[in-house]
Amino acid sequence: MESIADRIARIQEQIAAAARQAGRAPEDITLIGISKLNPATAVAAAFQAGLRDFGESRVQEAEPKLATLAADRAQIRWHMIGHLQSNKAKKAAALFDMVHTVDSLRLAAALALARSSLPPPAPSLSILLQVNVSGEAAKAGFALAGWPQHAPIFAAFCGEVAQILALPGITVRGLMTIAPYSVDPLPTFRSARVLRAALAQRFPAADWSQLSMGMSDDFAAAVAEGATMVRVGRAIFGERR
Ligand SMILES: *Cc1c(COP(=O)(O)O)cnc(C)c1O
C-alpha cells in the first residue's frame, strides 16, 4: 500500500507539474493536509514526511489533535477550514494560525476581539475571506454569484471588506473558495482569481496574496487558475470513515 509519505511526494509532484504548465513557480503553492476525521498519528506521519501545514474543520476535533502534536507546534501552521460559528471564535482564534472560512463581518469581528484579547505576543491572526462565487446554495461564504455583471454585489462586498480590514488582531491575506460538487470547477476558480484581482485594485494597501482553492479531486485545476494554497484530505490520508 502507498504510504502517506509516498502520497505526499506524488501530490507535490502533481502540484509542481500543474504550476510549471501554468508558468508558475511550484514553491508558490502550499499543500495543506486536511486531517479532519483522521487521527493525530496520521498527522505525525505526514509531518515526518515533511508536511508543515494542516487543516481541520471543527474546533472540537482540532483541540485534542493540536495538544497531541504540541511539541511540534512551532513548526506547524494550523488552518481552520470548516464553517465557524461566532461562539467558537474565541477558541479558534487561540488555536489556529489561519482561518480560511471567514464568511461574515460578524465572524471577523468576533475573531478580531478574541485574538486581541490573547496575551502578547500573540501575532495577528491571518484570515481568508470565503467567497461563494458559484451561487451554490449549500456553500457558505460571502454571496458573490454574478458579481462581475452586477456592480451592487461587488460594492456591497467592498463595504464589508473595508470594515474587516479596519479590525485589530486579524490580517486579511486573501480569498478562499470551494468549487461546487461534480460540475466543472474551473469557472469557480477563475471567478475567485478575478475577484481577488479586483479587490487588490480596490484595496491596494491590503494583502491579497493568498488564494485557497482546490481539493483532492481538483487541486491541479486550481493551481492552473492561480491557487496559492490547496487543501487536500483524501488523496493524502485516504477515504474518511
Ligand atoms: C474536507 C475539506 C477539504 C479536503 O477535501 P478532500 O476531498 O478530502 O481533499 C478541503 N476543503 C474543505 C473546506 C473541506 O471541508
Side-chain angles (χ1 to χ4, degrees), residues 96-109:
F96 291 96
D97 298 293
M98 178 178 268
V99 176
H100 290 223
T101 41
V102 175
D103 59 0
S104 69
L105 173 58
R106 180 186 146 94
L107 175 58

Side-chain angles (χ1 to χ4, degrees), residues 34 36 81 176 178 215-216 231-234 240:
I34 304 302
K36 65 183 182 197
I81 56 117
M176 177 271 209
I178 305 173
M215 312 186 358
S216 289
R231 310 177 306 264
V232 178
R234 288 168 299 126
R240 287 179 289 270

Side-chain angles (χ1 to χ4, degrees), residues 97-99 123-128 164-165 167-174 206-207:
D97 298 293
M98 178 178 268
V99 176
S124 180
L125 174 67
S126 291
I127 66 160
L128 302 178
I164 292 170
L165 289 174
L167 292 167
I170 59 173
T171 305
V172 174
R173 302 287 181 199
D207 177 3

Side-chain angles (χ1 to χ4, degrees), residues 32-38 55-57 80-83 100-101 130 176-178 181 212-219 230-240:
I32 304 175
I34 304 302
S35 48
K36 65 183 182 197
L37 301 178
N38 279 283
E56 286 285 331
S57 60
M80 174 62 188
I81 56 117
H83 182 66
H100 290 223
T101 41
Q130 183 177 356
M176 177 271 209
T177 199
I178 305 173
Y181 187 64
S212 166
M213 57 189 194
M215 312 186 358
S216 289
D217 295 329
D218 57 17
F219 66 83
V230 293
R231 310 177 306 264
V232 178
R234 288 168 299 126
I236 294 175
F237 298 108
E239 290 297 327
R240 287 179 289 270

